[in-house]
mmCIF file of all heavy atoms in Angstrom:
data_model
loop_
_atom_site.group_PDB
_atom_site.id
_atom_site.type_symbol
_atom_site.label_atom_id
_atom_site.label_comp_id
_atom_site.label_asym_id
_atom_site.label_seq_id
_atom_site.Cartn_x
_atom_site.Cartn_y
_atom_site.Cartn_z
ATOM 1 N N MET A 1 -17.158 -21.339 -18.056
ATOM 2 C CA MET A 1 -16.346 -22.471 -18.754
ATOM 3 C C MET A 1 -14.986 -22.082 -19.160
ATOM 4 O O MET A 1 -14.767 -20.931 -19.763
ATOM 5 C CB MET A 1 -17.229 -22.826 -20.098
ATOM 6 C CG MET A 1 -16.527 -23.887 -20.714
ATOM 7 S SD MET A 1 -17.330 -25.564 -20.783
ATOM 8 C CE MET A 1 -18.564 -25.289 -22.003
ATOM 9 N N LYS A 2 -14.034 -22.883 -18.779
ATOM 10 C CA LYS A 2 -12.628 -22.539 -19.227
ATOM 11 C C LYS A 2 -12.364 -22.794 -20.565
ATOM 12 O O LYS A 2 -12.773 -23.659 -21.281
ATOM 13 C CB LYS A 2 -11.681 -23.292 -18.152
ATOM 14 C CG LYS A 2 -11.613 -24.786 -18.556
ATOM 15 C CD LYS A 2 -10.583 -25.459 -17.551
ATOM 16 C CE LYS A 2 -10.423 -26.985 -17.858
ATOM 17 N NZ LYS A 2 -9.727 -27.678 -16.928
ATOM 18 N N ASN A 3 -11.448 -21.838 -20.924
ATOM 19 C CA ASN A 3 -10.929 -21.987 -22.396
ATOM 20 C C ASN A 3 -9.482 -22.510 -22.230
ATOM 21 O O ASN A 3 -8.659 -21.811 -21.825
ATOM 22 C CB ASN A 3 -10.856 -20.595 -23.098
ATOM 23 C CG ASN A 3 -10.337 -20.721 -24.407
ATOM 24 O OD1 ASN A 3 -9.768 -21.740 -24.865
ATOM 25 N ND2 ASN A 3 -10.652 -19.613 -25.316
ATOM 26 N N THR A 4 -9.339 -23.770 -22.512
ATOM 27 C CA THR A 4 -8.121 -24.406 -22.434
ATOM 28 C C THR A 4 -6.970 -23.896 -23.288
ATOM 29 O O THR A 4 -5.797 -24.215 -23.116
ATOM 30 C CB THR A 4 -8.211 -25.994 -22.549
ATOM 31 O OG1 THR A 4 -8.763 -26.238 -23.721
ATOM 32 C CG2 THR A 4 -9.067 -26.496 -21.513
ATOM 33 N N ALA A 5 -7.397 -23.015 -24.191
ATOM 34 C CA ALA A 5 -6.314 -22.465 -25.118
ATOM 35 C C ALA A 5 -5.732 -21.214 -24.460
ATOM 36 O O ALA A 5 -4.728 -20.623 -25.013
ATOM 37 C CB ALA A 5 -6.940 -21.991 -26.327
ATOM 38 N N ILE A 6 -6.428 -20.692 -23.449
ATOM 39 C CA ILE A 6 -5.863 -19.485 -22.638
ATOM 40 C C ILE A 6 -5.520 -19.728 -21.227
ATOM 41 O O ILE A 6 -6.403 -19.764 -20.510
ATOM 42 C CB ILE A 6 -6.887 -18.363 -22.880
ATOM 43 C CG1 ILE A 6 -7.349 -18.095 -24.299
ATOM 44 C CG2 ILE A 6 -6.251 -17.041 -22.167
ATOM 45 C CD1 ILE A 6 -8.378 -16.951 -24.576
ATOM 46 N N GLN A 7 -4.219 -20.071 -20.956
ATOM 47 C CA GLN A 7 -3.968 -20.105 -19.585
ATOM 48 C C GLN A 7 -3.712 -18.967 -18.829
ATOM 49 O O GLN A 7 -3.018 -17.977 -19.599
ATOM 50 C CB GLN A 7 -2.517 -20.955 -19.479
ATOM 51 C CG GLN A 7 -2.625 -22.379 -20.044
ATOM 52 C CD GLN A 7 -1.329 -23.149 -19.749
ATOM 53 O OE1 GLN A 7 -0.758 -23.084 -18.707
ATOM 54 N NE2 GLN A 7 -0.858 -23.731 -20.796
ATOM 55 N N CYS A 8 -4.306 -18.659 -17.574
ATOM 56 C CA CYS A 8 -4.116 -17.392 -16.979
ATOM 57 C C CYS A 8 -4.343 -17.690 -15.556
ATOM 58 O O CYS A 8 -5.224 -18.408 -15.010
ATOM 59 C CB CYS A 8 -5.145 -16.369 -17.455
ATOM 60 S SG CYS A 8 -5.137 -14.790 -16.652
ATOM 61 N N ASP A 9 -3.417 -16.994 -14.718
ATOM 62 C CA ASP A 9 -3.659 -17.146 -13.168
ATOM 63 C C ASP A 9 -3.879 -15.833 -12.497
ATOM 64 O O ASP A 9 -3.615 -15.733 -11.355
ATOM 65 C CB ASP A 9 -2.387 -17.893 -12.639
ATOM 66 C CG ASP A 9 -1.062 -17.061 -12.928
ATOM 67 O OD1 ASP A 9 -1.150 -16.084 -13.424
ATOM 68 O OD2 ASP A 9 -0.015 -17.624 -12.514
ATOM 69 N N VAL A 10 -4.495 -14.979 -13.266
ATOM 70 C CA VAL A 10 -4.908 -13.646 -12.612
ATOM 71 C C VAL A 10 -6.216 -13.760 -11.913
ATOM 72 O O VAL A 10 -7.276 -13.690 -12.649
ATOM 73 C CB VAL A 10 -4.957 -12.524 -13.693
ATOM 74 C CG1 VAL A 10 -5.271 -11.264 -13.119
ATOM 75 C CG2 VAL A 10 -3.619 -12.448 -14.504
ATOM 76 N N LYS A 11 -6.220 -14.231 -10.688
ATOM 77 C CA LYS A 11 -7.433 -14.498 -9.954
ATOM 78 C C LYS A 11 -8.321 -13.320 -9.735
ATOM 79 O O LYS A 11 -9.586 -13.447 -9.462
ATOM 80 C CB LYS A 11 -7.144 -15.256 -8.627
ATOM 81 C CG LYS A 11 -6.379 -16.509 -8.667
ATOM 82 C CD LYS A 11 -7.144 -17.519 -9.459
ATOM 83 C CE LYS A 11 -6.441 -18.865 -9.466
ATOM 84 N NZ LYS A 11 -7.040 -19.876 -10.281
ATOM 85 N N SER A 12 -7.781 -12.057 -9.729
ATOM 86 C CA SER A 12 -8.616 -10.845 -9.581
ATOM 87 C C SER A 12 -9.342 -10.413 -10.833
ATOM 88 O O SER A 12 -10.119 -9.423 -10.729
ATOM 89 C CB SER A 12 -7.656 -9.689 -9.178
ATOM 90 O OG SER A 12 -6.686 -9.446 -10.080
ATOM 91 N N CYS A 13 -9.332 -11.085 -11.861
ATOM 92 C CA CYS A 13 -9.956 -10.864 -13.139
ATOM 93 C C CYS A 13 -11.400 -11.512 -13.005
ATOM 94 O O CYS A 13 -11.459 -12.699 -12.763
ATOM 95 C CB CYS A 13 -9.247 -11.340 -14.360
ATOM 96 S SG CYS A 13 -10.053 -10.965 -15.850
ATOM 97 N N GLU A 14 -12.398 -10.815 -13.512
ATOM 98 C CA GLU A 14 -13.812 -11.330 -13.576
ATOM 99 C C GLU A 14 -13.830 -12.512 -14.495
ATOM 100 O O GLU A 14 -14.742 -13.400 -14.272
ATOM 101 C CB GLU A 14 -14.554 -10.123 -14.295
ATOM 102 C CG GLU A 14 -16.010 -10.470 -14.546
ATOM 103 C CD GLU A 14 -16.848 -10.532 -13.200
ATOM 104 O OE1 GLU A 14 -16.535 -9.667 -12.289
ATOM 105 O OE2 GLU A 14 -17.719 -11.385 -12.990
ATOM 106 N N TYR A 15 -12.976 -12.649 -15.470
ATOM 107 C CA TYR A 15 -13.052 -13.698 -16.438
ATOM 108 C C TYR A 15 -12.217 -14.897 -16.189
ATOM 109 O O TYR A 15 -12.263 -15.872 -16.930
ATOM 110 C CB TYR A 15 -12.666 -13.256 -17.799
ATOM 111 C CG TYR A 15 -13.544 -12.002 -18.324
ATOM 112 C CD1 TYR A 15 -12.898 -10.741 -18.552
ATOM 113 C CD2 TYR A 15 -14.936 -12.170 -18.381
ATOM 114 C CE1 TYR A 15 -13.775 -9.700 -18.894
ATOM 115 C CE2 TYR A 15 -15.659 -11.108 -18.751
ATOM 116 C CZ TYR A 15 -15.056 -9.890 -19.002
ATOM 117 O OH TYR A 15 -15.896 -8.727 -19.330
ATOM 118 N N ASN A 16 -11.501 -14.837 -15.067
ATOM 119 C CA ASN A 16 -10.584 -16.048 -14.645
ATOM 120 C C ASN A 16 -11.461 -17.106 -14.026
ATOM 121 O O ASN A 16 -12.371 -16.908 -13.218
ATOM 122 C CB ASN A 16 -9.555 -15.592 -13.676
ATOM 123 C CG ASN A 16 -8.488 -16.573 -13.418
ATOM 124 O OD1 ASN A 16 -8.642 -17.534 -12.597
ATOM 125 N ND2 ASN A 16 -7.531 -16.616 -14.295
ATOM 126 N N CYS A 17 -11.149 -18.358 -14.516
ATOM 127 C CA CYS A 17 -11.858 -19.553 -13.889
ATOM 128 C C CYS A 17 -11.224 -19.654 -12.558
ATOM 129 O O CYS A 17 -9.942 -20.208 -12.478
ATOM 130 C CB CYS A 17 -11.645 -20.784 -14.811
ATOM 131 S SG CYS A 17 -12.160 -22.321 -14.101
ATOM 132 N N GLN A 18 -11.963 -19.534 -11.586
ATOM 133 C CA GLN A 18 -11.311 -19.340 -10.195
ATOM 134 C C GLN A 18 -10.746 -20.654 -9.627
ATOM 135 O O GLN A 18 -9.873 -20.646 -8.823
ATOM 136 C CB GLN A 18 -12.411 -18.830 -9.159
ATOM 137 C CG GLN A 18 -12.802 -17.376 -9.522
ATOM 138 C CD GLN A 18 -11.587 -16.497 -9.487
ATOM 139 O OE1 GLN A 18 -10.943 -16.307 -8.395
ATOM 140 N NE2 GLN A 18 -11.368 -15.613 -10.558
ATOM 141 N N ASP A 19 -11.208 -21.767 -10.033
ATOM 142 C CA ASP A 19 -10.577 -22.926 -9.437
ATOM 143 C C ASP A 19 -9.650 -23.765 -10.399
ATOM 144 O O ASP A 19 -9.409 -24.983 -10.344
ATOM 145 C CB ASP A 19 -11.759 -24.012 -9.026
ATOM 146 C CG ASP A 19 -12.819 -24.247 -10.109
ATOM 147 O OD1 ASP A 19 -12.730 -23.591 -11.308
ATOM 148 O OD2 ASP A 19 -13.780 -25.093 -10.054
ATOM 149 N N CYS A 20 -9.358 -22.992 -11.494
ATOM 150 C CA CYS A 20 -8.371 -23.430 -12.374
ATOM 151 C C CYS A 20 -7.430 -22.289 -12.804
ATOM 152 O O CYS A 20 -7.938 -21.098 -12.560
ATOM 153 C CB CYS A 20 -8.933 -24.223 -13.582
ATOM 154 S SG CYS A 20 -10.071 -23.211 -14.609
ATOM 155 N N ASN A 21 -6.501 -22.539 -13.701
ATOM 156 C CA ASN A 21 -5.697 -21.408 -14.148
ATOM 157 C C ASN A 21 -5.923 -21.134 -15.626
ATOM 158 O O ASN A 21 -5.060 -21.230 -16.471
ATOM 159 C CB ASN A 21 -4.179 -21.653 -13.972
ATOM 160 C CG ASN A 21 -3.845 -21.479 -12.348
ATOM 161 O OD1 ASN A 21 -4.552 -20.755 -11.679
ATOM 162 N ND2 ASN A 21 -2.944 -22.321 -12.071
ATOM 163 N N TYR A 22 -7.135 -20.836 -15.931
ATOM 164 C CA TYR A 22 -7.600 -20.581 -17.358
ATOM 165 C C TYR A 22 -8.501 -19.380 -17.454
ATOM 166 O O TYR A 22 -9.190 -18.975 -16.369
ATOM 167 C CB TYR A 22 -8.359 -21.789 -17.946
ATOM 168 C CG TYR A 22 -7.409 -22.923 -18.150
ATOM 169 C CD1 TYR A 22 -7.402 -23.919 -17.283
ATOM 170 C CD2 TYR A 22 -6.635 -22.987 -19.327
ATOM 171 C CE1 TYR A 22 -6.470 -25.144 -17.416
ATOM 172 C CE2 TYR A 22 -5.826 -24.072 -19.570
ATOM 173 C CZ TYR A 22 -5.617 -25.165 -18.559
ATOM 174 O OH TYR A 22 -4.905 -26.223 -18.808
ATOM 175 N N CYS A 23 -8.548 -18.786 -18.534
ATOM 176 C CA CYS A 23 -9.440 -17.678 -18.860
ATOM 177 C C CYS A 23 -10.797 -18.275 -19.323
ATOM 178 O O CYS A 23 -10.667 -19.390 -19.985
ATOM 179 C CB CYS A 23 -8.828 -16.806 -20.015
ATOM 180 S SG CYS A 23 -9.963 -15.428 -20.438
ATOM 181 N N SER A 24 -11.949 -17.652 -19.186
ATOM 182 C CA SER A 24 -13.252 -18.169 -19.563
ATOM 183 C C SER A 24 -13.687 -17.485 -20.865
ATOM 184 O O SER A 24 -14.724 -17.949 -21.348
ATOM 185 C CB SER A 24 -14.220 -18.086 -18.358
ATOM 186 O OG SER A 24 -14.395 -16.576 -18.146
ATOM 187 N N LEU A 25 -12.878 -16.509 -21.423
ATOM 188 C CA LEU A 25 -13.464 -15.861 -22.553
ATOM 189 C C LEU A 25 -13.075 -16.831 -23.744
ATOM 190 O O LEU A 25 -12.205 -17.548 -23.788
ATOM 191 C CB LEU A 25 -12.705 -14.614 -22.669
ATOM 192 C CG LEU A 25 -13.087 -13.441 -21.661
ATOM 193 C CD1 LEU A 25 -12.206 -12.181 -21.943
ATOM 194 C CD2 LEU A 25 -14.685 -13.222 -21.778
ATOM 195 N N GLU A 26 -13.855 -16.484 -24.903
ATOM 196 C CA GLU A 26 -13.530 -17.270 -26.138
ATOM 197 C C GLU A 26 -12.192 -16.732 -26.744
ATOM 198 O O GLU A 26 -11.517 -17.511 -27.307
ATOM 199 C CB GLU A 26 -14.771 -17.010 -27.043
ATOM 200 C CG GLU A 26 -14.625 -17.913 -28.276
ATOM 201 C CD GLU A 26 -16.021 -17.773 -29.075
ATOM 202 O OE1 GLU A 26 -17.064 -17.803 -28.362
ATOM 203 O OE2 GLU A 26 -15.887 -17.496 -30.370
ATOM 204 N N SER A 27 -11.860 -15.488 -26.696
ATOM 205 C CA SER A 27 -10.679 -14.831 -27.034
ATOM 206 C C SER A 27 -10.332 -13.652 -26.236
ATOM 207 O O SER A 27 -11.292 -13.118 -25.658
ATOM 208 C CB SER A 27 -10.851 -14.470 -28.537
ATOM 209 O OG SER A 27 -11.736 -13.414 -28.662
ATOM 210 N N ILE A 28 -9.211 -13.302 -26.214
ATOM 211 C CA ILE A 28 -8.720 -12.148 -25.441
ATOM 212 C C ILE A 28 -7.821 -11.166 -26.258
ATOM 213 O O ILE A 28 -7.429 -11.645 -27.464
ATOM 214 C CB ILE A 28 -7.983 -12.527 -24.258
ATOM 215 C CG1 ILE A 28 -6.533 -13.323 -24.661
ATOM 216 C CG2 ILE A 28 -8.684 -13.289 -23.248
ATOM 217 C CD1 ILE A 28 -5.446 -13.384 -23.706
ATOM 218 N N LYS A 29 -7.633 -9.898 -25.887
ATOM 219 C CA LYS A 29 -6.791 -8.995 -26.656
ATOM 220 C C LYS A 29 -5.615 -8.693 -25.844
ATOM 221 O O LYS A 29 -5.685 -8.467 -24.658
ATOM 222 C CB LYS A 29 -7.586 -7.771 -26.891
ATOM 223 C CG LYS A 29 -6.577 -6.667 -27.653
ATOM 224 C CD LYS A 29 -7.344 -5.440 -28.089
ATOM 225 C CE LYS A 29 -6.352 -4.589 -28.827
ATOM 226 N NZ LYS A 29 -7.048 -3.317 -29.083
ATOM 227 N N VAL A 30 -4.397 -8.861 -26.321
ATOM 228 C CA VAL A 30 -3.074 -8.684 -25.638
ATOM 229 C C VAL A 30 -2.560 -7.452 -26.253
ATOM 230 O O VAL A 30 -2.620 -7.255 -27.564
ATOM 231 C CB VAL A 30 -2.234 -9.855 -25.757
ATOM 232 C CG1 VAL A 30 -0.858 -9.473 -25.192
ATOM 233 C CG2 VAL A 30 -2.715 -11.058 -25.095
ATOM 234 N N GLY A 31 -2.035 -6.546 -25.492
ATOM 235 C CA GLY A 31 -1.437 -5.346 -25.922
ATOM 236 C C GLY A 31 -0.259 -4.969 -25.116
ATOM 237 O O GLY A 31 0.217 -5.673 -24.333
ATOM 238 N N THR A 32 0.182 -3.724 -25.200
ATOM 239 C CA THR A 32 1.380 -3.226 -24.466
ATOM 240 C C THR A 32 1.084 -1.778 -23.990
ATOM 241 O O THR A 32 0.386 -0.999 -24.555
ATOM 242 C CB THR A 32 2.614 -3.223 -25.253
ATOM 243 O OG1 THR A 32 3.702 -2.850 -24.431
ATOM 244 C CG2 THR A 32 2.582 -2.321 -26.548
ATOM 245 N N HIS A 33 1.712 -1.355 -22.789
ATOM 246 C CA HIS A 33 1.782 0.103 -22.301
ATOM 247 C C HIS A 33 3.119 0.654 -22.658
ATOM 248 O O HIS A 33 3.268 1.835 -22.194
ATOM 249 C CB HIS A 33 1.544 -0.063 -20.900
ATOM 250 C CG HIS A 33 2.317 -0.913 -20.082
ATOM 251 N ND1 HIS A 33 2.266 -2.228 -19.920
ATOM 252 C CD2 HIS A 33 3.660 -0.595 -19.521
ATOM 253 C CE1 HIS A 33 3.176 -2.858 -19.255
ATOM 254 N NE2 HIS A 33 4.019 -1.857 -18.933
ATOM 255 N N GLU A 34 3.912 -0.068 -23.419
ATOM 256 C CA GLU A 34 5.260 0.621 -23.682
ATOM 257 C C GLU A 34 5.352 1.005 -25.098
ATOM 258 O O GLU A 34 4.757 0.439 -26.047
ATOM 259 C CB GLU A 34 6.342 -0.677 -23.490
ATOM 260 C CG GLU A 34 6.320 -1.110 -22.086
ATOM 261 C CD GLU A 34 7.053 -0.175 -21.121
ATOM 262 O OE1 GLU A 34 7.626 0.764 -21.546
ATOM 263 O OE2 GLU A 34 6.924 -0.456 -19.927
ATOM 264 N N ALA A 35 6.260 1.857 -25.419
ATOM 265 C CA ALA A 35 6.400 2.325 -26.826
ATOM 266 C C ALA A 35 7.195 1.279 -27.591
ATOM 267 O O ALA A 35 6.924 1.002 -28.798
ATOM 268 C CB ALA A 35 7.240 3.578 -26.869
ATOM 269 N N HIS A 36 8.235 0.650 -26.909
ATOM 270 C CA HIS A 36 8.932 -0.475 -27.624
ATOM 271 C C HIS A 36 9.078 -1.602 -26.641
ATOM 272 O O HIS A 36 10.126 -1.662 -25.950
ATOM 273 C CB HIS A 36 10.387 0.133 -28.032
ATOM 274 C CG HIS A 36 10.154 1.251 -28.935
ATOM 275 N ND1 HIS A 36 9.878 1.272 -30.205
ATOM 276 C CD2 HIS A 36 10.407 2.697 -28.670
ATOM 277 C CE1 HIS A 36 9.792 2.458 -30.746
ATOM 278 N NE2 HIS A 36 10.047 3.250 -29.726
ATOM 279 N N PRO A 37 8.250 -2.444 -26.565
ATOM 280 C CA PRO A 37 8.123 -3.644 -25.532
ATOM 281 C C PRO A 37 9.300 -4.562 -25.869
ATOM 282 O O PRO A 37 9.534 -4.887 -27.075
ATOM 283 C CB PRO A 37 6.796 -4.285 -25.899
ATOM 284 C CG PRO A 37 6.373 -3.883 -27.228
ATOM 285 C CD PRO A 37 6.893 -2.514 -27.336
ATOM 286 N N THR A 38 10.000 -4.876 -24.878
ATOM 287 C CA THR A 38 11.176 -5.788 -24.959
ATOM 288 C C THR A 38 11.091 -6.924 -24.104
ATOM 289 O O THR A 38 11.995 -7.791 -24.103
ATOM 290 C CB THR A 38 12.534 -4.912 -24.546
ATOM 291 O OG1 THR A 38 12.307 -4.363 -23.320
ATOM 292 C CG2 THR A 38 12.748 -3.834 -25.607
ATOM 293 N N GLN A 39 10.162 -7.086 -23.146
ATOM 294 C CA GLN A 39 10.074 -8.202 -22.286
ATOM 295 C C GLN A 39 8.625 -8.494 -21.913
ATOM 296 O O GLN A 39 7.754 -7.646 -22.107
ATOM 297 C CB GLN A 39 10.993 -8.028 -21.043
ATOM 298 C CG GLN A 39 10.655 -6.811 -20.244
ATOM 299 C CD GLN A 39 11.699 -6.444 -19.101
ATOM 300 O OE1 GLN A 39 12.054 -7.419 -18.540
ATOM 301 N NE2 GLN A 39 12.106 -5.243 -19.019
ATOM 302 N N CYS A 40 8.515 -9.591 -21.365
ATOM 303 C CA CYS A 40 7.114 -10.175 -21.007
ATOM 304 C C CYS A 40 6.350 -9.091 -20.203
ATOM 305 O O CYS A 40 5.095 -8.950 -20.337
ATOM 306 C CB CYS A 40 7.247 -11.379 -20.268
ATOM 307 S SG CYS A 40 5.760 -12.403 -20.175
ATOM 308 N N ALA A 41 7.028 -8.539 -19.162
ATOM 309 C CA ALA A 41 6.312 -7.612 -18.335
ATOM 310 C C ALA A 41 5.790 -6.296 -19.111
ATOM 311 O O ALA A 41 5.026 -5.572 -18.582
ATOM 312 C CB ALA A 41 7.220 -7.228 -17.213
ATOM 313 N N CYS A 42 6.145 -6.107 -20.277
ATOM 314 C CA CYS A 42 5.721 -5.021 -21.047
ATOM 315 C C CYS A 42 4.291 -5.190 -21.581
ATOM 316 O O CYS A 42 3.691 -4.243 -22.206
ATOM 317 C CB CYS A 42 6.754 -4.655 -22.214
ATOM 318 S SG CYS A 42 8.352 -4.199 -21.599
ATOM 319 N N THR A 43 3.890 -6.503 -21.636
ATOM 320 C CA THR A 43 2.594 -6.791 -22.265
ATOM 321 C C THR A 43 1.466 -6.910 -21.247
ATOM 322 O O THR A 43 1.604 -7.137 -20.087
ATOM 323 C CB THR A 43 2.694 -8.206 -22.951
ATOM 324 O OG1 THR A 43 2.961 -9.259 -22.077
ATOM 325 C CG2 THR A 43 4.029 -8.128 -23.911
ATOM 326 N N ASP A 44 0.254 -6.682 -21.720
ATOM 327 C CA ASP A 44 -0.928 -6.697 -20.899
ATOM 328 C C ASP A 44 -2.089 -7.368 -21.505
ATOM 329 O O ASP A 44 -2.111 -7.344 -22.760
ATOM 330 C CB ASP A 44 -1.376 -5.231 -20.605
ATOM 331 C CG ASP A 44 -0.307 -4.352 -20.156
ATOM 332 O OD1 ASP A 44 0.221 -4.416 -19.069
ATOM 333 O OD2 ASP A 44 0.120 -3.432 -20.959
ATOM 334 N N CYS A 45 -2.804 -8.023 -20.616
ATOM 335 C CA CYS A 45 -4.233 -8.531 -21.259
ATOM 336 C C CYS A 45 -5.133 -7.263 -21.181
ATOM 337 O O CYS A 45 -5.454 -6.809 -20.210
ATOM 338 C CB CYS A 45 -4.666 -9.651 -20.325
ATOM 339 S SG CYS A 45 -6.339 -10.149 -20.774
ATOM 340 N N LYS A 46 -5.482 -6.896 -22.395
ATOM 341 C CA LYS A 46 -6.457 -5.774 -22.524
ATOM 342 C C LYS A 46 -7.945 -6.181 -22.339
ATOM 343 O O LYS A 46 -8.788 -5.313 -22.190
ATOM 344 C CB LYS A 46 -6.194 -5.133 -23.926
ATOM 345 C CG LYS A 46 -5.015 -4.562 -24.143
ATOM 346 C CD LYS A 46 -4.595 -3.418 -23.259
ATOM 347 C CE LYS A 46 -3.199 -2.781 -23.837
ATOM 348 N NZ LYS A 46 -2.921 -1.528 -22.924
ATOM 349 N N SER A 47 -8.034 -7.427 -22.105
ATOM 350 C CA SER A 47 -9.408 -7.980 -21.825
ATOM 351 C C SER A 47 -9.721 -8.024 -20.321
ATOM 352 O O SER A 47 -10.894 -8.415 -19.881
ATOM 353 C CB SER A 47 -9.630 -9.275 -22.384
ATOM 354 O OG SER A 47 -9.555 -9.294 -23.864
ATOM 355 N N PHE A 48 -8.639 -7.760 -19.474
ATOM 356 C CA PHE A 48 -8.900 -7.839 -18.055
ATOM 357 C C PHE A 48 -10.087 -6.901 -17.540
ATOM 358 O O PHE A 48 -10.188 -5.809 -18.030
ATOM 359 C CB PHE A 48 -7.531 -7.292 -17.366
ATOM 360 C CG PHE A 48 -7.672 -7.165 -15.901
ATOM 361 C CD1 PHE A 48 -7.434 -8.326 -15.129
ATOM 362 C CD2 PHE A 48 -7.925 -5.992 -15.236
ATOM 363 C CE1 PHE A 48 -7.535 -8.073 -13.680
ATOM 364 C CE2 PHE A 48 -8.030 -5.758 -13.972
ATOM 365 C CZ PHE A 48 -7.863 -6.919 -13.157
ATOM 366 N N LYS A 49 -10.648 -7.459 -16.614
ATOM 367 C CA LYS A 49 -11.822 -6.625 -15.974
ATOM 368 C C LYS A 49 -11.687 -7.137 -14.453
ATOM 369 O O LYS A 49 -11.813 -8.205 -14.103
ATOM 370 C CB LYS A 49 -13.127 -7.033 -16.565
ATOM 371 C CG LYS A 49 -14.303 -6.279 -15.901
ATOM 372 C CD LYS A 49 -15.550 -6.721 -16.558
ATOM 373 C CE LYS A 49 -16.741 -6.064 -15.740
ATOM 374 N NZ LYS A 49 -18.069 -6.562 -15.917
ATOM 375 N N LEU A 50 -11.565 -6.032 -13.574
ATOM 376 C CA LEU A 50 -11.471 -6.344 -12.282
ATOM 377 C C LEU A 50 -12.737 -7.121 -11.637
ATOM 378 O O LEU A 50 -13.894 -6.603 -11.952
ATOM 379 C CB LEU A 50 -11.203 -4.997 -11.364
ATOM 380 C CG LEU A 50 -11.184 -5.176 -10.000
ATOM 381 C CD1 LEU A 50 -9.875 -6.006 -9.549
ATOM 382 C CD2 LEU A 50 -11.038 -3.834 -9.209
ATOM 383 N N LYS A 51 -12.535 -8.061 -10.931
ATOM 384 C CA LYS A 51 -13.760 -8.860 -10.430
ATOM 385 C C LYS A 51 -14.422 -7.996 -9.510
ATOM 386 O O LYS A 51 -13.889 -7.314 -8.687
ATOM 387 C CB LYS A 51 -13.114 -10.128 -9.724
ATOM 388 C CG LYS A 51 -14.063 -11.185 -9.400
ATOM 389 C CD LYS A 51 -13.339 -12.449 -8.931
ATOM 390 C CE LYS A 51 -14.259 -13.351 -8.359
ATOM 391 N NZ LYS A 51 -15.146 -13.971 -9.404
ATOM 392 N N GLU A 52 -15.754 -8.125 -9.487
ATOM 393 C CA GLU A 52 -16.596 -7.318 -8.623
ATOM 394 C C GLU A 52 -16.418 -7.763 -7.073
ATOM 395 O O GLU A 52 -16.141 -8.831 -6.722
ATOM 396 C CB GLU A 52 -18.018 -7.606 -8.912
ATOM 397 C CG GLU A 52 -18.947 -6.386 -8.653
ATOM 398 C CD GLU A 52 -20.433 -6.553 -9.203
ATOM 399 O OE1 GLU A 52 -20.468 -7.063 -10.364
ATOM 400 O OE2 GLU A 52 -21.192 -6.246 -8.476
ATOM 401 N N ASN A 53 -16.255 -6.760 -6.293
ATOM 402 C CA ASN A 53 -16.062 -6.995 -4.834
ATOM 403 C C ASN A 53 -14.639 -7.564 -4.649
ATOM 404 O O ASN A 53 -14.324 -8.076 -3.575
ATOM 405 C CB ASN A 53 -17.073 -7.884 -4.145
ATOM 406 C CG ASN A 53 -18.368 -7.200 -4.305
ATOM 407 O OD1 ASN A 53 -18.571 -6.096 -4.204
ATOM 408 N ND2 ASN A 53 -19.360 -7.945 -4.541
ATOM 409 N N CYS A 54 -13.675 -7.402 -5.509
ATOM 410 C CA CYS A 54 -12.360 -7.964 -5.328
ATOM 411 C C CYS A 54 -11.422 -7.013 -4.883
ATOM 412 O O CYS A 54 -11.633 -5.791 -5.340
ATOM 413 C CB CYS A 54 -11.890 -8.505 -6.679
ATOM 414 S SG CYS A 54 -10.075 -9.187 -6.487
ATOM 415 N N CYS A 55 -10.538 -7.432 -4.008
ATOM 416 C CA CYS A 55 -9.418 -6.544 -3.707
ATOM 417 C C CYS A 55 -9.767 -5.191 -2.953
ATOM 418 O O CYS A 55 -9.077 -4.291 -3.019
ATOM 419 C CB CYS A 55 -8.509 -6.216 -4.920
ATOM 420 S SG CYS A 55 -8.410 -7.513 -6.111
ATOM 421 N N LYS A 56 -10.876 -5.274 -2.075
ATOM 422 C CA LYS A 56 -11.305 -4.142 -1.382
ATOM 423 C C LYS A 56 -11.004 -4.343 0.086
ATOM 424 O O LYS A 56 -11.011 -5.459 0.508
ATOM 425 C CB LYS A 56 -12.707 -3.880 -1.665
ATOM 426 C CG LYS A 56 -12.933 -3.422 -3.024
ATOM 427 C CD LYS A 56 -14.456 -3.134 -3.259
ATOM 428 C CE LYS A 56 -14.673 -2.653 -4.681
ATOM 429 N NZ LYS A 56 -16.162 -2.554 -5.050
HETATM 430 S S1 SF4 B 1 -9.309 -11.620 -19.523
HETATM 431 FE FE1 SF4 B 1 -7.126 -11.686 -19.464
HETATM 432 S S2 SF4 B 1 -6.572 -11.448 -17.321
HETATM 433 FE FE2 SF4 B 1 -8.773 -11.945 -17.365
HETATM 434 S S3 SF4 B 1 -8.761 -14.234 -17.157
HETATM 435 FE FE3 SF4 B 1 -8.748 -13.842 -19.248
HETATM 436 S S4 SF4 B 1 -6.595 -13.882 -19.868
HETATM 437 FE FE4 SF4 B 1 -6.642 -13.645 -17.716
#
């Protein structure tokens, strides 16, 4: 079931609603891999999980 409060188009994620651009989780955690994030690309969805049998 899509969560319309969380838009996401990462199709390789287990939790992505594949026929729409939403996450199916109730909530997600967002974090960073940078010491001092300054732009969008510095942020990550920490709830991401690689979809099974994806990208092989
Ligand atoms: S867990 Fe993160 S990456 Fe995966 S569908 Fe939800 S928002 Fe997108």
Side-chain angles (χ1 to χ4, degrees):
M1 174 108 83
K2 70 180 181 184
N3 180 343
T4 55
I6 308 174
Q7 294 183 52
C8 178
D9 57 6
V10 182
K11 299 294 186 194
S12 58
C13 179
E14 178 76 35
Y15 303 118
N16 191 268
C17 171
Q18 294 298 304
D19 52 357
C20 61
N21 289 328
Y22 290 98
C23 181
S24 61
L25 293 177
E26 193 171 311
S27 67
I28 60 165
K29 180 177 180 182
V30 175
T32 182
H33 53 274
E34 303 282 349
H36 303 288
T38 56
Q39 53 187 317
C40 192
C42 300
T43 65
D44 308 294
C45 176
K46 298 291 188 183
S47 301
F48 172 86
K49 181 183 172 195
L50 184 61
K51 192 174 175 62
E52 209 169 321
N53 297 322
C54 177
C55 319
K56 287 179 182 168

